[in-house]
Amino acid sequence: MQNTLITLSLIIPLAPLAGALLAGLFGKTIRRSGAHWVTIIGVAVSFICSVLVFKYVIIDDFNGGKFTYVVYQWLQSDNFDFHIGFLIDGLTAVMLLVVTFVSLMVHIYTIGYMKDDPGYQRFFSYIALFTFSMLMLVMADNFLQLFFGWEAVGLVSYLLIGFWYKKETAIFANLKAFLVNRVGDFGFLLGIAGVLYFADSLNYAEVFAHAEKTKFSGQVIQIIPGVDWSAITVICILLFIGAMGKSAQVPLHVWLPDSMEGPTPISALIHAATMVTAGIFMVSRMSPLFVLSETAMTMVLLVGAITALFMGLLGLVQNDIKRVVAYSTLSQLGYMTVALGTGAFAAGMFHLMTHAFFKALLFLGAGSVIIAMHHQQDMRKMGNLKKYLPITYWTALIGSLALIGFPGFSGFYSKDIIIEATRALAGHSQSGIAQFAYFSVLAGVLITALYTFRMFFMVFHGKERMDDHTKSHLKEPGWVVTGPLIFLAIPSLLIGLVTIAPMLFGGYFSNSIQTPEYNVLGEIEKHMDGGFGVGAFTLHGLLQPPFILALTGIALAWFFTLKRPDYAESLKKGLKPLYLILVNHYFFDRVYQAVFAGGARKVGNILWNVGDRKIIDGLVINGSARTIGLFSRVFRKLQTGYLFHYAMVMVLGLLGMLTWLVWPVVKGVFNGV
């Protein structure tokens, strides 16, 4: 069994890598069809192997549901061991299934979406490489490999967001994503350095054992001389800063909406199951460290609550179909982060899993609409597409209902459990931050339903606002587009119902996630008569505020979008200051452009003008040249080539020497007299 697991673990990341290399290096040889076949087969093999690993390790409970394997030792320095290795447990297994399945659907979908693009082979190479990078990240058993995967997904996302490199907005977006993530990654790297310094290891098992044994008690860091900071708090905050960058939490969220400049398939892959969820996965993996710092957990809770509420509000004023879905991703990532902050790490991972399916469905559904509309993304130029795109319509409806947490859909179970966990923490701690977090996730339900069904009604219902040429060509895309939509709609509907009990209350994450002293999920289970039951939980949800708020959001969206759109315009004019704040994204982008980007350019200009031109070029390089030239001109005048000049110099030199020799004698005579 162990040899089988070793083989499967190696195939999982290497199969997509092989496809990426073949499509990237031999794209012209294997042509377009060859490029998509080698990458799709590679990801399909990875998915099948992930299913087998899940069966052997989790279902068959091999080695207690945890399997580790060191592939090779990369470096041995003193007592430090740096290696590449795999860790398969409940946390890894669910990420493997999600990443490989969603990636497989995206690969198939890409055949239809990118069929006319000249960079077809290059795109398939990139998305397969992206999948490899994410798999290396989630399978890591040490911080070194985690950081490798972390940076690799950042690099490939840079290439994918700027895939259309002749488009200025795409180049601006990928540079923005790269730079913002460098801010988060700097904190992440410092956090890893702190782990190595205090735990003397980068291997998860050794670090977590050190944390359990010592609790990091008495270990401090002096960021400011003379002021002691708890080492574990500093380490966890630094690690979370890395998560804020990757998972786009306020204030490091600004890159994610602009990443819509890339092709729609990569928007689905980045926003659904891979890059943006890396931060949520990492904090869950580091739960043995985070539970030791109440301050760090409070920070996680606060940042998540702010992101969930305020990023959701931005979705209300967007008219680009992809940007609406993008801001919903930001808000849902905030929900996941809130779950982590409450200590309900399992609930955060549960929402990550359900969100991956219905968000990929919504993005690919948006892409289907964009294909049919000849790459028109403005919802104000759509309408009544239900008539022309029936498969897209029904799958988008399933995705929308899952997103707003409508009872029976996957998002209902994962979102409601986060709300319940936040309410339990707010009731237990009585802290202002916990109360604010509960308000944020509750208000987010209304906001999510409002912007989601505003988009749904604008696109699929109401008057047809497209031009006659577009209308004449409207039709459902081929099976390579609609097939993935159907396959993603199934888990969007059912996966939450099937997995909530084992994942949250059945001990699925017991060997991979550590809960804090106050276990909110345990408290929720205690208050359920007769233990947890899916049916009872569903009925309970029908009587709770989130369901009422979701229905209210749908009703408001219908009223303002279909019934009385003129009221929406009047409301926009009446609340113009608020509308301007929202449409300018709280001015984050402008401030960052003016202060950080503009400030960096000004500093660069000063260093160039003063440091480079005046000091280095003017004083050091050109100044030394001018000095040599000055001396050269002086000495050149001494070498005239005339004999009488040289004779005169010789006579003057001889007189000088005689004066130097005779002067002491003359001076002595005069002194004697």
Side-chain angles (χ1 to χ4, degrees), residues 351-381:
H351 194 50
L352 182 155
M353 178 190 69
T354 62
H355 175 266
F357 297 117
F358 63 72
K359 186 51 61 68
L361 173 60
L362 285 172
F363 264 116
L364 297 187
S368 177
V369 170
I370 292 169
I371 294 171
M373 292 291 298
H374 297 283
H375 293 274
Q376 174 60 256
Q377 297 181 198
D378 192 335
M379 298 187 299
R380 294 169 296 185
K381 298 180 180 179

PDB file of all heavy atoms in Angstrom, residues 351-381:
ATOM      1  N   HIS A 351     -16.399  25.744   3.472  1.00  0.00           N
ATOM      2  CA  HIS A 351     -16.882  26.781   2.554  1.00  0.00           C
ATOM      3  C   HIS A 351     -15.938  26.941   1.372  1.00  0.00           C
ATOM      4  O   HIS A 351     -16.380  27.228   0.252  1.00  0.00           O
ATOM      5  CB  HIS A 351     -17.034  28.106   3.301  1.00  0.00           C
ATOM      6  CG  HIS A 351     -17.817  29.138   2.545  1.00  0.00           C
ATOM      7  ND1 HIS A 351     -19.042  28.873   1.975  1.00  0.00           N
ATOM      8  CD2 HIS A 351     -17.551  30.443   2.241  1.00  0.00           C
ATOM      9  CE1 HIS A 351     -19.498  29.951   1.366  1.00  0.00           C
ATOM     10  NE2 HIS A 351     -18.606  30.914   1.504  1.00  0.00           N
ATOM     11  N   LEU A 352     -14.645  26.755   1.604  1.00  0.00           N
ATOM     12  CA  LEU A 352     -13.681  26.795   0.498  1.00  0.00           C
ATOM     13  C   LEU A 352     -14.047  25.750  -0.548  1.00  0.00           C
ATOM     14  O   LEU A 352     -14.037  26.017  -1.753  1.00  0.00           O
ATOM     15  CB  LEU A 352     -12.270  26.541   1.039  1.00  0.00           C
ATOM     16  CG  LEU A 352     -11.086  26.578   0.066  1.00  0.00           C
ATOM     17  CD1 LEU A 352      -9.795  26.915   0.819  1.00  0.00           C
ATOM     18  CD2 LEU A 352     -10.882  25.259  -0.673  1.00  0.00           C
ATOM     19  N   MET A 353     -14.386  24.542  -0.085  1.00  0.00           N
ATOM     20  CA  MET A 353     -14.701  23.454  -1.009  1.00  0.00           C
ATOM     21  C   MET A 353     -15.986  23.738  -1.785  1.00  0.00           C
ATOM     22  O   MET A 353     -16.003  23.657  -3.022  1.00  0.00           O
ATOM     23  CB  MET A 353     -14.847  22.146  -0.235  1.00  0.00           C
ATOM     24  CG  MET A 353     -15.216  20.960  -1.109  1.00  0.00           C
ATOM     25  SD  MET A 353     -15.662  19.497  -0.171  1.00  0.00           S
ATOM     26  CE  MET A 353     -17.224  20.017   0.556  1.00  0.00           C
ATOM     27  N   THR A 354     -17.067  24.080  -1.086  1.00  0.00           N
ATOM     28  CA  THR A 354     -18.333  24.321  -1.790  1.00  0.00           C
ATOM     29  C   THR A 354     -18.217  25.534  -2.709  1.00  0.00           C
ATOM     30  O   THR A 354     -18.706  25.523  -3.836  1.00  0.00           O
ATOM     31  CB  THR A 354     -19.477  24.539  -0.787  1.00  0.00           C
ATOM     32  OG1 THR A 354     -19.213  25.701   0.014  1.00  0.00           O
ATOM     33  CG2 THR A 354     -19.655  23.333   0.115  1.00  0.00           C
ATOM     34  N   HIS A 355     -17.525  26.575  -2.231  1.00  0.00           N
ATOM     35  CA  HIS A 355     -17.350  27.794  -3.015  1.00  0.00           C
ATOM     36  C   HIS A 355     -16.588  27.521  -4.303  1.00  0.00           C
ATOM     37  O   HIS A 355     -16.866  28.117  -5.345  1.00  0.00           O
ATOM     38  CB  HIS A 355     -16.621  28.841  -2.171  1.00  0.00           C
ATOM     39  CG  HIS A 355     -16.270  30.091  -2.911  1.00  0.00           C
ATOM     40  ND1 HIS A 355     -15.027  30.278  -3.513  1.00  0.00           N
ATOM     41  CD2 HIS A 355     -16.971  31.215  -3.163  1.00  0.00           C
ATOM     42  CE1 HIS A 355     -15.004  31.465  -4.087  1.00  0.00           C
ATOM     43  NE2 HIS A 355     -16.156  32.049  -3.891  1.00  0.00           N
ATOM     44  N   ALA A 356     -15.621  26.612  -4.246  1.00  0.00           N
ATOM     45  CA  ALA A 356     -14.822  26.305  -5.433  1.00  0.00           C
ATOM     46  C   ALA A 356     -15.714  25.843  -6.579  1.00  0.00           C
ATOM     47  O   ALA A 356     -15.535  26.249  -7.731  1.00  0.00           O
ATOM     48  CB  ALA A 356     -13.791  25.232  -5.104  1.00  0.00           C
ATOM     49  N   PHE A 357     -16.702  25.017  -6.283  1.00  0.00           N
ATOM     50  CA  PHE A 357     -17.560  24.482  -7.340  1.00  0.00           C
ATOM     51  C   PHE A 357     -18.530  25.534  -7.871  1.00  0.00           C
ATOM     52  O   PHE A 357     -18.630  25.739  -9.082  1.00  0.00           O
ATOM     53  CB  PHE A 357     -18.317  23.258  -6.830  1.00  0.00           C
ATOM     54  CG  PHE A 357     -17.424  22.116  -6.446  1.00  0.00           C
ATOM     55  CD1 PHE A 357     -17.374  21.650  -5.140  1.00  0.00           C
ATOM     56  CD2 PHE A 357     -16.624  21.500  -7.387  1.00  0.00           C
ATOM     57  CE1 PHE A 357     -16.542  20.606  -4.780  1.00  0.00           C
ATOM     58  CE2 PHE A 357     -15.779  20.449  -7.053  1.00  0.00           C
ATOM     59  CZ  PHE A 357     -15.738  19.999  -5.741  1.00  0.00           C
ATOM     60  N   PHE A 358     -19.266  26.203  -6.971  1.00  0.00           N
ATOM     61  CA  PHE A 358     -20.266  27.131  -7.511  1.00  0.00           C
ATOM     62  C   PHE A 358     -19.647  28.413  -8.043  1.00  0.00           C
ATOM     63  O   PHE A 358     -20.199  29.053  -8.926  1.00  0.00           O
ATOM     64  CB  PHE A 358     -21.405  27.408  -6.514  1.00  0.00           C
ATOM     65  CG  PHE A 358     -21.042  28.086  -5.215  1.00  0.00           C
ATOM     66  CD1 PHE A 358     -20.690  29.419  -5.170  1.00  0.00           C
ATOM     67  CD2 PHE A 358     -21.132  27.383  -4.016  1.00  0.00           C
ATOM     68  CE1 PHE A 358     -20.402  30.045  -3.963  1.00  0.00           C
ATOM     69  CE2 PHE A 358     -20.850  28.001  -2.804  1.00  0.00           C
ATOM     70  CZ  PHE A 358     -20.476  29.335  -2.777  1.00  0.00           C
ATOM     71  N   LYS A 359     -18.459  28.798  -7.551  1.00  0.00           N
ATOM     72  CA  LYS A 359     -17.832  29.991  -8.109  1.00  0.00           C
ATOM     73  C   LYS A 359     -17.208  29.689  -9.465  1.00  0.00           C
ATOM     74  O   LYS A 359     -17.272  30.526 -10.378  1.00  0.00           O
ATOM     75  CB  LYS A 359     -16.784  30.534  -7.129  1.00  0.00           C
ATOM     76  CG  LYS A 359     -16.173  31.874  -7.548  1.00  0.00           C
ATOM     77  CD  LYS A 359     -17.219  32.920  -7.893  1.00  0.00           C
ATOM     78  CE  LYS A 359     -18.155  33.264  -6.744  1.00  0.00           C
ATOM     79  NZ  LYS A 359     -17.518  33.956  -5.650  1.00  0.00           N
ATOM     80  N   ALA A 360     -16.614  28.507  -9.623  1.00  0.00           N
ATOM     81  CA  ALA A 360     -16.133  28.110 -10.949  1.00  0.00           C
ATOM     82  C   ALA A 360     -17.302  28.038 -11.928  1.00  0.00           C
ATOM     83  O   ALA A 360     -17.193  28.456 -13.083  1.00  0.00           O
ATOM     84  CB  ALA A 360     -15.424  26.761 -10.860  1.00  0.00           C
ATOM     85  N   LEU A 361     -18.436  27.531 -11.449  1.00  0.00           N
ATOM     86  CA  LEU A 361     -19.634  27.463 -12.288  1.00  0.00           C
ATOM     87  C   LEU A 361     -20.078  28.854 -12.727  1.00  0.00           C
ATOM     88  O   LEU A 361     -20.397  29.076 -13.903  1.00  0.00           O
ATOM     89  CB  LEU A 361     -20.756  26.765 -11.513  1.00  0.00           C
ATOM     90  CG  LEU A 361     -22.145  26.739 -12.162  1.00  0.00           C
ATOM     91  CD1 LEU A 361     -22.095  26.027 -13.511  1.00  0.00           C
ATOM     92  CD2 LEU A 361     -23.143  26.064 -11.232  1.00  0.00           C
ATOM     93  N   LEU A 362     -20.085  29.812 -11.807  1.00  0.00           N
ATOM     94  CA  LEU A 362     -20.519  31.166 -12.152  1.00  0.00           C
ATOM     95  C   LEU A 362     -19.549  31.837 -13.116  1.00  0.00           C
ATOM     96  O   LEU A 362     -19.968  32.532 -14.052  1.00  0.00           O
ATOM     97  CB  LEU A 362     -20.676  32.001 -10.881  1.00  0.00           C
ATOM     98  CG  LEU A 362     -21.914  31.688 -10.034  1.00  0.00           C
ATOM     99  CD1 LEU A 362     -21.858  32.428  -8.710  1.00  0.00           C
ATOM    100  CD2 LEU A 362     -23.185  32.054 -10.791  1.00  0.00           C
ATOM    101  N   PHE A 363     -18.260  31.651 -12.914  1.00  0.00           N
ATOM    102  CA  PHE A 363     -17.286  32.259 -13.821  1.00  0.00           C
ATOM    103  C   PHE A 363     -17.384  31.650 -15.218  1.00  0.00           C
ATOM    104  O   PHE A 363     -17.362  32.366 -16.227  1.00  0.00           O
ATOM    105  CB  PHE A 363     -15.870  32.091 -13.278  1.00  0.00           C
ATOM    106  CG  PHE A 363     -15.391  33.277 -12.510  1.00  0.00           C
ATOM    107  CD1 PHE A 363     -15.110  33.179 -11.164  1.00  0.00           C
ATOM    108  CD2 PHE A 363     -15.216  34.514 -13.124  1.00  0.00           C
ATOM    109  CE1 PHE A 363     -14.671  34.277 -10.438  1.00  0.00           C
ATOM    110  CE2 PHE A 363     -14.778  35.618 -12.416  1.00  0.00           C
ATOM    111  CZ  PHE A 363     -14.501  35.496 -11.060  1.00  0.00           C
ATOM    112  N   LEU A 364     -17.475  30.327 -15.270  1.00  0.00           N
ATOM    113  CA  LEU A 364     -17.568  29.698 -16.585  1.00  0.00           C
ATOM    114  C   LEU A 364     -18.911  30.001 -17.233  1.00  0.00           C
ATOM    115  O   LEU A 364     -19.006  30.115 -18.460  1.00  0.00           O
ATOM    116  CB  LEU A 364     -17.364  28.189 -16.451  1.00  0.00           C
ATOM    117  CG  LEU A 364     -15.982  27.754 -15.927  1.00  0.00           C
ATOM    118  CD1 LEU A 364     -15.840  26.239 -15.994  1.00  0.00           C
ATOM    119  CD2 LEU A 364     -14.848  28.425 -16.691  1.00  0.00           C
ATOM    120  N   GLY A 365     -19.965  30.152 -16.418  1.00  0.00           N
ATOM    121  CA  GLY A 365     -21.252  30.589 -16.961  1.00  0.00           C
ATOM    122  C   GLY A 365     -21.162  31.988 -17.537  1.00  0.00           C
ATOM    123  O   GLY A 365     -21.716  32.278 -18.611  1.00  0.00           O
ATOM    124  N   ALA A 366     -20.452  32.869 -16.820  1.00  0.00           N
ATOM    125  CA  ALA A 366     -20.231  34.221 -17.346  1.00  0.00           C
ATOM    126  C   ALA A 366     -19.452  34.160 -18.656  1.00  0.00           C
ATOM    127  O   ALA A 366     -19.734  34.902 -19.601  1.00  0.00           O
ATOM    128  CB  ALA A 366     -19.481  35.062 -16.316  1.00  0.00           C
ATOM    129  N   GLY A 367     -18.485  33.251 -18.719  1.00  0.00           N
ATOM    130  CA  GLY A 367     -17.728  33.087 -19.954  1.00  0.00           C
ATOM    131  C   GLY A 367     -18.594  32.602 -21.092  1.00  0.00           C
ATOM    132  O   GLY A 367     -18.425  33.026 -22.243  1.00  0.00           O
ATOM    133  N   SER A 368     -19.540  31.711 -20.791  1.00  0.00           N
ATOM    134  CA  SER A 368     -20.467  31.241 -21.820  1.00  0.00           C
ATOM    135  C   SER A 368     -21.296  32.396 -22.372  1.00  0.00           C
ATOM    136  O   SER A 368     -21.511  32.502 -23.591  1.00  0.00           O
ATOM    137  CB  SER A 368     -21.389  30.170 -21.223  1.00  0.00           C
ATOM    138  OG  SER A 368     -22.335  29.734 -22.169  1.00  0.00           O
ATOM    139  N   VAL A 369     -21.737  33.274 -21.472  1.00  0.00           N
ATOM    140  CA  VAL A 369     -22.481  34.465 -21.901  1.00  0.00           C
ATOM    141  C   VAL A 369     -21.597  35.364 -22.762  1.00  0.00           C
ATOM    142  O   VAL A 369     -22.025  35.882 -23.804  1.00  0.00           O
ATOM    143  CB  VAL A 369     -23.006  35.239 -20.675  1.00  0.00           C
ATOM    144  CG1 VAL A 369     -23.562  36.597 -21.088  1.00  0.00           C
ATOM    145  CG2 VAL A 369     -24.072  34.426 -19.948  1.00  0.00           C
ATOM    146  N   ILE A 370     -20.356  35.536 -22.340  1.00  0.00           N
ATOM    147  CA  ILE A 370     -19.430  36.408 -23.067  1.00  0.00           C
ATOM    148  C   ILE A 370     -19.167  35.866 -24.474  1.00  0.00           C
ATOM    149  O   ILE A 370     -19.100  36.618 -25.452  1.00  0.00           O
ATOM    150  CB  ILE A 370     -18.123  36.569 -22.268  1.00  0.00           C
ATOM    151  CG1 ILE A 370     -18.386  37.363 -20.979  1.00  0.00           C
ATOM    152  CG2 ILE A 370     -17.053  37.265 -23.105  1.00  0.00           C
ATOM    153  CD1 ILE A 370     -17.235  37.339 -20.002  1.00  0.00           C
ATOM    154  N   ILE A 371     -19.017  34.537 -24.589  1.00  0.00           N
ATOM    155  CA  ILE A 371     -18.826  33.937 -25.917  1.00  0.00           C
ATOM    156  C   ILE A 371     -20.034  34.219 -26.802  1.00  0.00           C
ATOM    157  O   ILE A 371     -19.910  34.652 -27.953  1.00  0.00           O
ATOM    158  CB  ILE A 371     -18.612  32.413 -25.794  1.00  0.00           C
ATOM    159  CG1 ILE A 371     -17.295  32.096 -25.071  1.00  0.00           C
ATOM    160  CG2 ILE A 371     -18.615  31.765 -27.177  1.00  0.00           C
ATOM    161  CD1 ILE A 371     -17.128  30.624 -24.738  1.00  0.00           C
ATOM    162  N   ALA A 372     -21.224  33.976 -26.248  1.00  0.00           N
ATOM    163  CA  ALA A 372     -22.449  34.179 -27.027  1.00  0.00           C
ATOM    164  C   ALA A 372     -22.636  35.639 -27.421  1.00  0.00           C
ATOM    165  O   ALA A 372     -23.158  35.936 -28.502  1.00  0.00           O
ATOM    166  CB  ALA A 372     -23.657  33.697 -26.226  1.00  0.00           C
ATOM    167  N   MET A 373     -22.172  36.556 -26.556  1.00  0.00           N
ATOM    168  CA  MET A 373     -22.338  37.994 -26.807  1.00  0.00           C
ATOM    169  C   MET A 373     -21.151  38.581 -27.572  1.00  0.00           C
ATOM    170  O   MET A 373     -20.966  39.796 -27.588  1.00  0.00           O
ATOM    171  CB  MET A 373     -22.497  38.724 -25.469  1.00  0.00           C
ATOM    172  CG  MET A 373     -23.790  38.426 -24.736  1.00  0.00           C
ATOM    173  SD  MET A 373     -25.233  39.107 -25.566  1.00  0.00           S
ATOM    174  CE  MET A 373     -24.886  40.858 -25.501  1.00  0.00           C
ATOM    175  N   HIS A 374     -20.331  37.724 -28.178  1.00  0.00           N
ATOM    176  CA  HIS A 374     -19.159  38.181 -28.943  1.00  0.00           C
ATOM    177  C   HIS A 374     -18.237  39.023 -28.062  1.00  0.00           C
ATOM    178  O   HIS A 374     -17.795  40.102 -28.439  1.00  0.00           O
ATOM    179  CB  HIS A 374     -19.588  38.963 -30.185  1.00  0.00           C
ATOM    180  CG  HIS A 374     -20.364  38.138 -31.161  1.00  0.00           C
ATOM    181  ND1 HIS A 374     -19.782  37.228 -32.018  1.00  0.00           N
ATOM    182  CD2 HIS A 374     -21.698  38.062 -31.400  1.00  0.00           C
ATOM    183  CE1 HIS A 374     -20.710  36.641 -32.754  1.00  0.00           C
ATOM    184  NE2 HIS A 374     -21.889  37.126 -32.395  1.00  0.00           N
ATOM    185  N   HIS A 375     -17.970  38.505 -26.868  1.00  0.00           N
ATOM    186  CA  HIS A 375     -17.035  39.080 -25.905  1.00  0.00           C
ATOM    187  C   HIS A 375     -17.490  40.445 -25.379  1.00  0.00           C
ATOM    188  O   HIS A 375     -16.670  41.283 -25.001  1.00  0.00           O
ATOM    189  CB  HIS A 375     -15.617  39.147 -26.484  1.00  0.00           C
ATOM    190  CG  HIS A 375     -15.032  37.780 -26.697  1.00  0.00           C
ATOM    191  ND1 HIS A 375     -14.371  37.099 -25.709  1.00  0.00           N
ATOM    192  CD2 HIS A 375     -15.069  36.948 -27.778  1.00  0.00           C
ATOM    193  CE1 HIS A 375     -13.994  35.909 -26.163  1.00  0.00           C
ATOM    194  NE2 HIS A 375     -14.409  35.790 -27.421  1.00  0.00           N
ATOM    195  N   GLN A 376     -18.788  40.620 -25.313  1.00  0.00           N
ATOM    196  CA  GLN A 376     -19.366  41.781 -24.636  1.00  0.00           C
ATOM    197  C   GLN A 376     -19.567  41.406 -23.160  1.00  0.00           C
ATOM    198  O   GLN A 376     -20.183  40.394 -22.847  1.00  0.00           O
ATOM    199  CB  GLN A 376     -20.703  42.148 -25.267  1.00  0.00           C
ATOM    200  CG  GLN A 376     -21.461  43.261 -24.555  1.00  0.00           C
ATOM    201  CD  GLN A 376     -20.687  44.555 -24.501  1.00  0.00           C
ATOM    202  OE1 GLN A 376     -20.138  44.923 -23.466  1.00  0.00           O
ATOM    203  NE2 GLN A 376     -20.622  45.241 -25.636  1.00  0.00           N
ATOM    204  N   GLN A 377     -19.041  42.230 -22.236  1.00  0.00           N
ATOM    205  CA  GLN A 377     -19.116  41.915 -20.815  1.00  0.00           C
ATOM    206  C   GLN A 377     -20.015  42.872 -20.034  1.00  0.00           C
ATOM    207  O   GLN A 377     -20.259  42.658 -18.850  1.00  0.00           O
ATOM    208  CB  GLN A 377     -17.707  41.926 -20.199  1.00  0.00           C
ATOM    209  CG  GLN A 377     -16.806  40.868 -20.778  1.00  0.00           C
ATOM    210  CD  GLN A 377     -15.416  40.848 -20.174  1.00  0.00           C
ATOM    211  OE1 GLN A 377     -14.489  40.288 -20.730  1.00  0.00           O
ATOM    212  NE2 GLN A 377     -15.246  41.470 -19.034  1.00  0.00           N
ATOM    213  N   ASP A 378     -20.514  43.915 -20.674  1.00  0.00           N
ATOM    214  CA  ASP A 378     -21.360  44.901 -20.003  1.00  0.00           C
ATOM    215  C   ASP A 378     -22.790  44.365 -19.892  1.00  0.00           C
ATOM    216  O   ASP A 378     -23.460  44.130 -20.898  1.00  0.00           O
ATOM    217  CB  ASP A 378     -21.348  46.217 -20.791  1.00  0.00           C
ATOM    218  CG  ASP A 378     -21.959  47.367 -20.009  1.00  0.00           C
ATOM    219  OD1 ASP A 378     -22.784  47.117 -19.109  1.00  0.00           O
ATOM    220  OD2 ASP A 378     -21.611  48.526 -20.303  1.00  0.00           O
ATOM    221  N   MET A 379     -23.264  44.176 -18.657  1.00  0.00           N
ATOM    222  CA  MET A 379     -24.602  43.615 -18.440  1.00  0.00           C
ATOM    223  C   MET A 379     -25.703  44.538 -18.944  1.00  0.00           C
ATOM    224  O   MET A 379     -26.822  44.086 -19.209  1.00  0.00           O
ATOM    225  CB  MET A 379     -24.810  43.325 -16.951  1.00  0.00           C
ATOM    226  CG  MET A 379     -23.845  42.295 -16.380  1.00  0.00           C
ATOM    227  SD  MET A 379     -24.234  41.832 -14.675  1.00  0.00           S
ATOM    228  CE  MET A 379     -24.059  43.413 -13.815  1.00  0.00           C
ATOM    229  N   ARG A 380     -25.407  45.833 -19.073  1.00  0.00           N
ATOM    230  CA  ARG A 380     -26.409  46.775 -19.568  1.00  0.00           C
ATOM    231  C   ARG A 380     -26.709  46.567 -21.043  1.00  0.00           C
ATOM    232  O   ARG A 380     -27.673  47.135 -21.575  1.00  0.00           O
ATOM    233  CB  ARG A 380     -25.930  48.209 -19.318  1.00  0.00           C
ATOM    234  CG  ARG A 380     -25.845  48.573 -17.835  1.00  0.00           C
ATOM    235  CD  ARG A 380     -25.136  49.880 -17.612  1.00  0.00           C
ATOM    236  NE  ARG A 380     -23.743  49.818 -18.028  1.00  0.00           N
ATOM    237  CZ  ARG A 380     -22.865  50.805 -17.842  1.00  0.00           C
ATOM    238  NH1 ARG A 380     -23.240  51.920 -17.243  1.00  0.00           N
ATOM    239  NH2 ARG A 380     -21.614  50.677 -18.259  1.00  0.00           N
ATOM    240  N   LYS A 381     -25.888  45.750 -21.717  1.00  0.00           N
ATOM    241  CA  LYS A 381     -26.101  45.466 -23.130  1.00  0.00           C
ATOM    242  C   LYS A 381     -26.549  44.016 -23.344  1.00  0.00           C
ATOM    243  O   LYS A 381     -26.373  43.452 -24.423  1.00  0.00           O
ATOM    244  CB  LYS A 381     -24.827  45.752 -23.924  1.00  0.00           C
ATOM    245  CG  LYS A 381     -24.411  47.217 -23.858  1.00  0.00           C
ATOM    246  CD  LYS A 381     -23.144  47.471 -24.642  1.00  0.00           C
ATOM    247  CE  LYS A 381     -22.744  48.956 -24.551  1.00  0.00           C
ATOM    248  NZ  LYS A 381     -21.496  49.245 -25.295  1.00  0.00           N
TER     249      LYS A 381
END
